[in-house]
Amino acid sequence: MRKFSLLLTLFCLALSARAADNAYHVALDLTKAADRRLSVEVIAPQLSETEVIYSLPKMVPGTYSIYDFGRFVEDFKAFDRKGNSLEATRIDTNSWKIEKANQLGKITYRVRDTYHASKEDNPIFEPAGSDFQKDTCFVLNFHTMIGYFRNHTKLYYELNITHAPKFFGSTSLIDRDNSETQDQYIVPSYNAVVDNPVMYSLPDTAHLKIGESDILISVYSPGKKASAAGIARGIDTMLQAQGKYLGGKLPVSNYAFLIYLADHEGLTGGYGALEHSYGSMYYLIDGTNETLASTVRNVASHEFFHIVTPLNIHSKEIANFDFDNPKMSEHLWLYEGSTEYHAHSVQVRYGLISQEEYLSAIRQAMNEAQFGFNDSLSFTELSLGALDKYKDQYTNVYAKGALISMCLDLKLIKDSEGKYRLMDLINDLAKTYGKDKAFQDAELFDKIYSLTKPDIKQFFMDHVIGAKPLPFQEVLGYAGVDYTKAKKEASYSFGGFGVGFNPETQRLVVSSLKNLNAFGKNMGYQEGDELLSVNGKKLAPAEFSAYKAAWLKTVKDGDKLKVVVLRKGTNGKTKKKTLQAKVFKAETITFNVISFSKTPTAEQLKIRKAWLEADNK
Ligand SMILES: [Zn+2]
């Protein structure tokens, strides 16, 4: 164990009180992990009921997906204080009913890790899951292994973890045990159990200071190509900019980036991260510090801004999260949309990306929202239905959600002649509400209307609650940015097919032929074709856009484009097929074309400056 001494913070001081006797005492022994399984022992708090239900959560905050963590539990047993068995019955996937609960001493069970579950069986987004690799790394998202007794989620938890001496536990929690092989963390509630993952691995950590806040970066890289020091170098400038963006002071005094790099894509076919109040957990594909830099920057920027929403502004649904029966909020435009917006806005305002690069990120979001999702669905309805009815629309929170925030930012800037931005509105909301004061889901819009001019109310009514298309031309016009919804021109392309992703095969697919141009017709794409290689180069899904952009820069008439696809025949069997044709400029409709106006007015330039340039660089 290496003690982490810079975490003497208000938060942690509050947690460093001894756990009251009426607490959960949990023991996990990582040295005894076997067959991707870990034994869990929970010494129960004092219970007065004669019957109690122990549950693992159905869902956890930030994932917006029902996972049923109880399905990873095996061999559940309950004992009284003398060690005699008590009757325990599994009543559903996540819950066990225990008789004579007033005599309950402890429960024991084993859990499987989620990284090695079956792909077909509703795989868990890796940053919310668990990995038990005895010799190299343990990802401990405690909600995958520890539960709660119903109606007893506000009690302290003492987490005791035994580990090999070579392992270091990275977390934003304080380790209260000085032993080389024993760590002890104390948290005040089940919410905090969920909110504080720990990653155990051979130590590779780095530290940064943002304002007064201490930042830990911990990296597990199986190929050892990336390092905590390298990743820290890659995000330092951005985090400093985020500190300034938030007014020079972060709302947390310590924060941990736990970065797990995998040597293959995960079960869910993606990568990403999950936010917590004092840190974020990452699952990314292993690479070098250089190849990872921009992905880490974009993802970390997003997760880090979650310290504002939902940590500092959230509704009762989040503050009193119902782990058995989760309810959705209508404000994903704020929790995820504004977070994603700020993640890019900070980069342009502080010069980490150019203004042109920023416009192309906006354009990408516009295309995603228009072609990847139902663009005429009310965003508050999408939010409320994200777990079930509109599950397939959820990812639009990162595209349309961010664009809603962009429109709102530009409107606020225009209304105030550059003096009041979206970040100011969010800061004002954080003053009214806050970490310990949640809002009623239905009252937030009225609060926003009371702080802003009437056109903002109209904007929400029309474009967030209502389903009218976002007014890009109008709002981008404020800043002297020209917008054209669809532009016909002859240009080079791969043929104009829609690109989708098949998580099962991990390949890109031809998802739509709707906008196929004459060149695409010559190529002969068919819907459902899975892309294997382009011009002889095998492409990982993440590399496709960059390859295409590079190809478009050098291609000329008469060059050949050769795409190898996997195509399903009428007999259901898949076969490799080579598609090729001579390249020419085909009439193509380009959607969502945006560019800086060549003749902006002084007023437009003023708004553009307030939108894209920070005044405290
Ligand atoms: Zn997020």
Side-chain angles (χ1 to χ4, degrees):
M1 192 204 77
R2 262 171 47 186
K3 195 146 187 167
F4 206 52
S5 59
L6 39 81
L7 298 176
L8 280 179
T9 66
L10 272 184
F11 167 68
C12 291
L13 282 177
L15 298 188
S16 65
R18 256 195 74 78
D21 279 335
N22 196 24
Y24 293 81
H25 298 260
V26 181
L28 301 171
D29 187 346
L30 307 187
T31 65
K32 297 214 173 99
D35 196 21
R36 308 276 186 201
R37 282 162 171 83
L38 203 55
S39 296
V40 181
E41 180 190 86
V42 181
I43 296 174
Q46 278 284 348
L47 301 168
S48 54
E49 303 95 310
T50 51
E51 191 181 287
V52 77
I53 293 170
Y54 183 81
S55 297
L56 270 81
K58 195 168 184 168
M59 176 182 137
V60 291
T63 58
Y64 306 110
S65 222
I66 301 285
Y67 283 136
D68 290 321
F69 291 101
R71 64 194 155 109
F72 296 94
V73 172
E74 301 169 345
D75 205 13
F76 188 96
K77 291 183 186 125
F79 301 92
D80 69 11
R81 283 179 213 105
K82 290 184 186 129
N84 305 311
S85 281
L86 288 178
E87 201 176 318
T89 322
R90 192 171 202 155
I91 52 171
D92 60 38
T93 312
N94 299 315
S95 306
W96 289 260
K97 187 169 80 183
I98 301 164
E99 312 284 347
K100 298 183 187 163
N102 49 359
Q103 297 172 25
L104 182 61
K106 66 173 184 185
I107 54 175
T108 64
Y109 49 88
R110 281 179 309 162
V111 284
R112 286 182 290 128
D113 76 8
T114 72
Y115 283 16
H116 299 88
S118 115
K119 198 182 252 185
E120 288 74 42
D121 190 17
N122 185 18
I124 288 174
F125 181 49
E126 285 77 7
S130 57
D131 188 23
F132 309 150
Q133 295 189 50
K134 201 167 177 190
D135 300 315
T136 52
C137 188
F138 285 83
V139 172
L140 303 183
N141 270 299
F142 291 119
H143 56 256
T144 65
M145 56 198 79
I146 299 169
Y148 50 89
F149 294 106
R150 291 255 175 103
N151 307 317
H152 297 282
T153 56
K154 306 271 165 157
L155 296 177
Y156 272 81
Y157 278 73
E158 181 190 279
L159 310 174
N160 295 291
I161 296 166
T162 308
H163 60 86
K166 64 179 180 179
F167 273 158
F168 173 65
S170 296
T171 173
S172 42
L173 295 171
I174 286 189
D175 170 15
R176 302 178 68 252
D177 193 308
N178 282 314
S179 141
E180 284 277 304
T181 56
Q182 195 71 34
D183 293 343
Q184 185 183 69
Y185 308 109
I186 293 176
V187 296
S189 65
Y190 189 69
N191 278 63
V193 168
V194 178
D195 201 20
N196 287 287
V198 183
M199 181 168 81
Y200 279 89
S201 59
L202 298 177
D204 179 15
T205 58
H207 299 276
L208 293 172
K209 193 112 181 145
I210 310 294
E212 293 292 298
S213 307
D214 295 305
I215 314 292
L216 163 70
I217 292 124
S218 177
V219 171
Y220 166 68
S221 165
K224 306 237 179 323
K225 287 181 283 181
S227 65
I231 301 261
R233 268 195 306 278
I235 58 174
D236 188 10
T237 317
M238 184 196 67
L239 290 174
Q240 304 294 350
Q242 286 186 285
K244 289 181 197 156
Y245 192 93
L246 293 170
K249 197 170 167 295
L250 301 185
V252 293
S253 46
N254 66 290
Y255 191 90
F257 288 94
L258 310 182
I259 303 177
Y260 177 104
L261 300 172
D263 48 16
H264 54 87
E265 276 165 18
L267 291 175
T268 52
Y271 61 88
L274 182 62
E275 77 274 15
H276 296 285
S277 303
Y278 298 90
S280 36
M281 178 76 222
Y282 296 74
Y283 181 97
L284 305 172
I285 307 305
D286 203 5
T288 64
N289 294 325
E290 290 71 32
T291 58
L292 278 164
S294 95
T295 307
V296 171
R297 243 193 326 269
N298 283 331
V299 185
S301 178
H302 175 101
E303 301 310 326
F304 198 61
F305 272 131
H306 273 303
I307 56 181
V308 183
T309 51
L311 174 67
N312 270 285
I313 316 171
H314 50 230
S315 66
K316 297 225 154 85
E317 282 73 12
I318 295 210
N320 304 312
F321 192 83
D322 185 341
F323 294 98
D324 303 312
N325 192 13
K327 285 171 201 67
M328 286 304 297
S329 155
E330 64 179 344
H331 297 299
L332 281 181
W333 69 272
L334 175 70
Y335 301 147
E336 292 301 336
S338 78
T339 302
E340 181 65 9
Y341 175 68
H342 295 313
H344 293 276
S345 168
V346 67
Q347 298 191 48
V348 67
R349 288 174 69 81
Y350 289 90
L352 277 75
I353 55 173
S354 70
Q355 296 191 349
E356 280 71 22
E357 283 172 307
Y358 184 61
L359 287 197
S360 83
I362 292 172
R363 176 164 185 262
Q364 197 181 329
M366 288 170 169
N367 284 337
E368 269 172 45
Q370 186 176 342
F371 298 109
F373 303 97
N374 175 359
D375 204 23
S376 52
L377 169 67
S378 145
F379 212 73
T380 47
E381 269 180 50
L382 184 165
S383 265
L384 290 167
L387 291 184
D388 34 56
K389 198 170 169 195
Y390 298 122
K391 201 175 156 76
D392 60 338
Q393 299 294 313
Y394 166 74
T395 318
N396 204 10
V397 300
Y398 304 110
K400 191 169 176 184
L403 294 169
I404 289 173
S405 290
M406 178 192 78
C407 295
L408 199 54
D409 199 17
L410 279 161
K411 279 188 158 296
L412 291 167
I413 290 170
K414 177 167 184 286
D415 284 352
S416 64
E417 293 180 1
K419 290 189 193 72
Y420 193 83
R421 300 189 303 119
L422 179 58
M423 201 62 226
D424 298 300
L425 173 63
I426 287 177
N427 284 336
D428 280 345
L429 292 172
K431 278 180 213 150
T432 308
Y433 306 108
K435 189 172 178 318
D436 303 311
K437 194 178 168 209
F439 57 78
Q440 294 284 359
D441 218 52
E443 81 188 22
L444 183 71
F445 284 134
D446 282 333
K447 181 70 205 171
I448 291 174
Y449 304 157
S450 76
L451 291 165
T452 54
K453 292 196 173 165
D455 66 318
I456 300 298
K457 177 172 181 176
Q458 198 58 50
F459 172 78
F460 276 103
M461 301 292 281
D462 287 347
H463 307 287
V464 184
I465 301 163
K468 286 189 191 165
L470 287 169
F472 295 133
Q473 192 166 19
E474 177 200 330
V475 299
L476 288 170
Y478 302 158
V481 174
D482 296 331
Y483 170 84
T484 314
K485 191 164 169 54
K487 196 173 174 181
K488 256 191 192 173
E489 61 188 352
S491 62
Y492 292 121
S493 69
F494 275 180
F497 59 86
V499 187
F501 177 72
N502 181 349
E504 261 164 46
T505 60
Q506 303 278 316
R507 291 194 193 104
L508 293 176
V509 292
V510 174
S511 63
S512 153
L513 301 177
K514 212 171 87 193
N515 296 312
L516 207 65
N517 58 33
F519 170 61
K521 282 180 188 144
N522 283 2
M523 287 291 288
Y525 298 106
Q526 283 186 14
E527 213 168 299
D529 281 351
E530 299 204 344
L531 306 185
L532 294 178
S533 68
V534 179
N535 289 337
K537 191 171 165 24
K538 207 169 160 249
L539 290 180
E543 299 167 336
F544 181 78
S545 291
Y547 178 82
K548 187 177 163 189
W551 179 81
L552 285 173
K553 271 185 192 160
T554 56
V555 70
K556 51 189 190 309
D557 269 6
D559 284 358
K560 234 185 210 165
L561 178 69
K562 187 169 139 190
V563 177
V564 180
V565 299
L566 211 53
R567 181 174 292 173
K568 206 176 234 173
T570 39
N571 56 2
K573 285 198 180 129
T574 50
K575 244 186 169 169
K576 262 192 197 178
K577 198 163 168 53
T578 303
L579 311 176
Q580 52 186 338
K582 274 192 179 161
V583 179
F584 62 95
K585 280 187 178 177
E587 188 160 276
T588 305
I589 303 176
T590 315
F591 291 91
N592 300 307
V593 182
I594 46 179
S595 59
F596 288 109
S597 155
K598 301 227 160 45
T599 51
T601 64
E603 197 193 348
Q604 284 174 323
L605 285 176
K606 191 177 165 188
I607 289 177
R608 190 190 293 176
K609 192 169 185 312
W611 180 41
L612 299 179
E613 293 174 35
D615 40 25
N616 61 340
K617 271 184 196 167

